[in-house]
Each structure stands twice: as C-alpha cells, then as structure tokens.
Amino acid sequence: MDFELRTKGKLYLEIAELFRQKILSGAWPAGHKLGSLQSLATDFGVSLITIRQAVADLRGEGLLVSRHGVGTFVAEDARRRERLNLQVDWQSMPSPIDQSDRDARLLDFDAAAQFPGQGDCVWMKRLHSRGDMPYAIVDIRLARRVFDLDPDGFRDRMVLPLLRRLYPEAESLVRQQTLTLDSADQEVSRLLGIPLNAPVGCLERTLTTPGGDLLYSGLVTYRGDMVRLEMSF
C-alpha cells in the first residue's frame, strides 16, 4: 500500500485522515468494503488499537458503517461531505448575497461587550452550515460603530463581506490573519458533530484602522474533514 505516515502526534488521526481522503475523493466509493481491522493494521504497520480508533472516528463522522459479522463499509451518503472550498483572502471574499448554500445560526450575542482596552463592541457566536452539515464556529467581536451600520445584517449574514461593503474606509484597514492547526475540544466536537480530538483549523483575524483602533476580531474554527481554505500568497 502506497502511503507515508508523517505525524509525530496521534497516529490514529493521520490514519483516519488517509481513509477520509480516499472516501471523499471517491477512491473508496459508497459501499466499498475495507479489509479486516487486523489486515489494515498490518498494511499500515500500526497497532490494531490505532486502526480501531481511526475507524471509530470515521464511523462517528458518518463516513463508515460497520455490520456485525460482515465488515466495515463506506457509508452510502459519505460523499455528501465533499469539501467546501472557501476563499479567505480579502480580495476574494464572496458578496454578502452570494451565500445561498450556507446558513448561519446565532448561538450567543452580547450587545455590551468590550474589546480589551479598546472600547465598546458587539460579541457574537455563530454556527455556519451548508445544508444540514455544520462546518464552522465563528466567534466575533465587532466595534459598535460598525455594527450600527446594519445591525440586522451583521447579526444574520457573513460579517466581513458586509463590513467591506458598508464601512467607508474598509480598503485602508490593516488586516491580519493567522491559521493554526488544532484538535476539537468537547464544545467544538459537540457543535460541529465531529469526534473529540478530530482535526480542525483555527483562523484568527483582526481589522484595525491605520491609527490602531480595533474594529474586528474573529476566531473561526473549521472542521478539518470538510473545508479547504484557499488564499493568495
């Protein structure tokens, strides 16, 4: 079998990702039967426990199903989790109205929050989904004066494309974003419907005025099995 294990962390996470890619790419089609757990462990040169953990994670994601006494198979609807391509650089962000396939559900809201040492802001926590599949948790702090430009819009729609359209000096803002690879904690696991410790990407963003006033800070946690981030460099 042609593969290479590269992680220095938990092997079962990388095995699960290898299997996940085979499923989502169609290399393992719906109904495909995997080898026995013991044969998979031998093929990959890992322990039986590692294979069991990887398979259990993918069962939890709905990508694999196990039938007692028969084997483990790719789920019939596994490819509905085909990756969502998101462009996350400033110039390529979608229009606020070009989001018909995505839903945002408000989880929490505080109209009297504070930027640390920076003044009044609005805090929102939202769950973004495509169809019935959650793909991101968004934690946002937005300067009150920006939020007041369109309160209903900022509550219900993608914030950054709307901010770019409504804020007069948007193109002069100082923009920074940092991507960190992490694993799902209990809250992320529950909200995104993924196993505990499943891979996630955490994208932190800030927008500040040239004078140093913070207008926006956000943390977006993406599920690693569904989202591909595209950015210019």
Side-chain angles (χ1 to χ4, degrees):
M1 187 173 293
D2 184 18
F3 66 91
E4 180 183 1
L5 295 176
R6 292 184 292 272
T7 188
K8 295 182 180 179
K10 296 177 179 178
L11 279 178
Y12 80 90
L13 292 177
E14 186 166 355
I15 296 291
E17 180 60 18
L18 288 171
F19 289 4
R20 189 181 291 113
Q21 291 306 311
K22 288 182 179 293
I23 295 167
L24 296 177
S25 69
W28 287 356
H32 171 80
K33 182 179 180 181
L34 278 64
S36 69
L37 298 185
Q38 185 59 64
S39 68
L40 290 171
T42 300
D43 288 344
F44 283 87
V46 297
S47 70
L48 184 58
I49 291 175
T50 296
I51 291 294
R52 282 176 175 161
Q53 288 177 309
V55 168
D57 272 13
L58 296 181
R59 281 203 308 266
E61 294 176 20
L63 297 178
L64 294 176
V65 293
S66 295
R67 300 171 190 161
H68 183 68
V70 179
T72 300
F73 300 83
V74 176
E76 291 298 325
D77 61 349
R79 294 212 56 205
R80 72 190 179 99
R81 300 198 180 200
E82 186 174 356
R83 288 190 184 273
L84 177 64
N85 294 324
L86 299 178
Q87 294 180 319
V88 295
D89 56 287
W90 181 253
Q91 298 301 328
S92 302
M93 285 186 180
S95 160
I97 62 174
D98 186 24
Q99 299 156 2
S100 58
D101 64 337
R102 304 176 202 172
D103 297 315
R105 177 165 62 91
L106 191 65
L107 300 175
D108 207 347
F109 181 85
D110 184 357
Q114 293 279 318
F115 285 127
Q118 287 273 348
D120 295 341
C121 71
V122 172
W123 173 73
M124 295 177 282
K125 188 170 188 175
R126 306 198 306 202
L127 183 66
H128 287 214
S129 303
R130 182 176 64 174
D132 63 350
M133 186 70 65
Y135 67 85
I137 304 164
V138 186
D139 192 301
I140 298 167
R141 290 181 186 269
L142 184 64
R144 183 78 209 197
R145 68 179 186 273
V146 177
F147 179 81
D148 287 343
L149 294 172
D150 186 353
D152 291 338
F154 281 118
R155 283 177 66 104
D156 299 332
R157 296 157 76 180
M158 302 287 187
V159 168
L160 287 180
L162 190 58
L163 182 153
R164 187 180 179 192
R165 181 167 67 89
L166 295 178
Y167 188 70
E169 292 83 30
E171 299 307 316
S172 67
L173 296 175
V174 179
R175 306 181 295 270
Q176 183 173 355
Q177 65 179 1
T178 303
L179 177 64
T180 303
L181 302 181
D182 207 340
S183 57
D185 60 19
Q186 289 186 345
E187 182 182 30
V188 170
S189 172
R190 176 178 60 82
L191 290 174
L192 294 182
I194 57 178
L196 189 64
N197 295 320
V200 295
C202 300
L203 189 64
E204 296 179 79
R205 288 170 165 153
T206 59
L207 294 176
T208 57
T209 68
D213 293 332
L214 185 60
L215 296 184
Y216 169 95
S217 69
L219 172 63
V220 188
T221 303
Y222 295 101
R223 55 186 300 158
D225 65 332
M226 184 178 173
V227 173
R228 176 166 46 234
L229 302 180
E230 299 177 356
M231 61 190 77
S232 301
F233 69 97

